[in-house]
């Protein structure tokens, strides 16, 4: 039975067959089958989201937590994928959350993060910030994933001032930054005419034992070369030291 359940739910997720998945889950529970883990619930959540059944997906997440099964970012990924299809989906989800809250339920922080991420994916930083500010209304606290999504939106919008404010909020909330946080803030610094802070955050990142990604070094090199800034050679040497493959477009600046 264990071998059959996961492939079945995965198929339901792929085709959005949420009703079938729910029916089979009810039947299995009715005959005493209790083999549910996160990887069983995740495709069910995906199927429900593909069908636009967000309240039922919320109920599934709630059921998971009540059984001691913690959702992951991957579990909630389908929420963001559904919401980012259309800005109306983002606006409409608040009514579902408010109704869920009025019924005495708890809103999962992952859902608010999904709204933030969907708004960023839609290049709507204003909506993303609005979702971020709504966390206290739903008794939720932003986490590092919240800030990382917002900072990625700041990079796209080249909004350094907002990025600085978010970093301050992150520190005040005692949220520990991770490697992605530093990647986003370095990339944000590089969108500005004066980008010296990118090197400050690069050094701070390395001090904390985070390894900068190839994307970080690639961006630093490109900006420095365009500005005729000799510091590109430092980033290039570090990139080589990390074993990252160099872009063919760097051939003209290699010594």
């Amino acid at each position: 039975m264990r071998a059959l359940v996961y492939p079945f739910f995965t198929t339901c997720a792929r085709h959005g067959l949420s009703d079938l998945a729910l029916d089979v889950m009810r039947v299995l529970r009715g005959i005493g089958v209790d083999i549910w883990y996160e990887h069983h619930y995740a495709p069910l959540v995906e199927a429900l989201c593909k069908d636009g059944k967000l309240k039922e997906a919320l109920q599934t997440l709630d059921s998971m937590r009540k059984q001691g099964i913690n959702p992951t970012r991957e579990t909630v990924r389908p929420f963001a994928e559904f919401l980012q299809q259309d800005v109306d989906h983002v606006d409409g989800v608040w009514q579902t959350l408010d109704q869920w809250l009025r019924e005495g339920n708890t809103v999962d922080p992952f859902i608010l993060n999904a709204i933030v991420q969907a708004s960023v994916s839609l290049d709507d930083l204003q909506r993303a910030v609005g979702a971020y500010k709504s966390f206290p209304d739903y008794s939720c606290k932003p986490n590092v994933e919240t800030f990382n999504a917002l900072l990625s939106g700041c990079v796209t919008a080249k909004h350094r001032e907002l990025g600085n404010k978010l970093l301050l909020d992150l520190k005040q909330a005692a949220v520990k930054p991770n490697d992605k946080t530093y990647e986003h803030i370095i990339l944000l610094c590089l969108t500005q005419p004066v980008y010296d802070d990118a090197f400050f955050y690069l050094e701070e990142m390395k001090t904390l034992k985070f390894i900068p990604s190839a994307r970080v070094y690639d961006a630093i090199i490109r900006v420095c070369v365009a500005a005729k800034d000799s510091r590109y050679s430092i980033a290039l040497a570090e990139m080589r030291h990390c074993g990252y493959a160099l872009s063919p477009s760097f051939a003209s600046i290699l010594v």
Side-chain angles (χ1 to χ4, degrees), residues 36-42 45 60-76 108-110:
W36 312 113
Y37 300 101
E38 187 279 335
H39 63 270
H40 295 122
Y41 281 102
V45 171
T60 303
L61 291 178
D62 188 56
S63 177
M64 289 176 66
R65 288 202 182 276
K66 287 178 178 177
Q67 295 179 62
I69 304 171
N70 292 322
T72 66
R73 184 173 62 173
E74 187 63 19
T75 317
V76 188
D108 198 298
F110 276 113

Side-chain angles (χ1 to χ4, degrees), residues 4-252:
L4 295 175
V5 170
Y6 179 66
F8 172 79
F9 283 128
T10 301
T11 300
C12 289
R14 188 179 304 117
H15 299 286
L17 303 174
S18 60
D19 288 340
L20 179 59
L22 287 170
D23 285 344
V24 171
M25 181 175 278
R26 280 191 287 266
V27 170
L28 290 173
R29 280 178 169 162
I31 61 175
V33 177
D34 189 18
I35 54 173
W36 312 113
Y37 300 101
E38 187 279 335
H39 63 270
H40 295 122
Y41 281 102
L44 175 58
V45 171
E46 182 175 355
L48 289 166
C49 289
K50 282 187 176 180
D51 275 351
K53 298 177 180 177
L54 299 189
K55 185 175 181 180
E56 289 81 354
L58 288 174
Q59 291 171 338
T60 303
L61 291 178
D62 188 56
S63 177
M64 289 176 66
R65 288 202 182 276
K66 287 178 178 177
Q67 295 179 62
I69 304 171
N70 292 322
T72 66
R73 184 173 62 173
E74 187 63 19
T75 317
V76 188
R77 173 186 51 79
F79 276 91
E81 291 179 346
F82 173 79
L83 296 175
Q84 68 191 34
Q85 293 175 23
D86 192 297
V87 70
D88 289 339
H89 288 176
V90 176
D91 291 341
V93 73
W94 295 110
Q95 183 177 352
T96 302
L97 290 182
D98 289 342
Q99 180 183 354
W100 180 253
L101 204 61
R102 286 195 299 270
E103 292 172 356
N105 301 302
T106 301
V107 172
D108 198 298
F110 276 113
I111 301 302
L112 295 181
N113 277 349
I115 298 173
V116 171
Q117 183 59 63
S119 299
V120 169
S121 297
L122 289 166
D123 292 328
D124 196 331
L125 190 54
Q126 183 176 352
R127 271 188 172 79
V129 172
Y132 162 63
K133 290 181 177 179
S134 76
F135 272 68
D137 298 335
Y138 296 91
S139 300
C140 292
K141 294 181 179 180
N143 58 22
V144 69
E145 299 296 340
T146 316
F147 289 105
N148 285 350
L150 290 165
L151 287 171
S152 70
C154 290
V155 174
T156 302
K158 301 180 180 181
H159 201 324
R160 178 69 193 276
E161 183 180 354
L162 177 58
N164 288 343
K165 183 183 183 307
L166 289 168
L167 282 180
L168 181 61
D169 287 355
L170 178 145
K171 291 177 181 178
Q172 290 178 341
V175 173
K176 289 186 178 181
N178 60 19
D179 57 335
K180 283 296 182 183
T181 313
Y182 278 97
E183 177 171 317
H184 292 315
I185 194 61
I186 291 170
L187 295 176
L188 178 57
C189 291
L190 293 170
T191 66
Q192 306 299 300
V194 178
Y195 52 85
D196 291 346
D197 284 350
F199 291 93
F200 169 80
Y201 285 112
L202 178 66
E203 291 306 312
E204 184 174 286
M205 179 183 193
K206 292 186 293 183
T207 299
L208 293 172
K209 307 302 181 184
F210 293 128
I211 299 175
S213 67
R215 182 188 181 197
V216 166
Y217 285 121
D218 185 281
I220 291 173
I221 294 169
R222 290 181 188 280
V223 168
C224 287
V225 168
K228 301 187 186 314
D229 182 341
S230 62
R231 287 178 294 182
Y232 81 84
S233 61
I234 299 173
L236 189 58
E238 290 187 12
M239 191 174 190
R240 284 169 162 167
H241 180 73
C242 289
Y244 294 133
L246 303 180
S247 169
S249 63
F250 292 155
S252 62

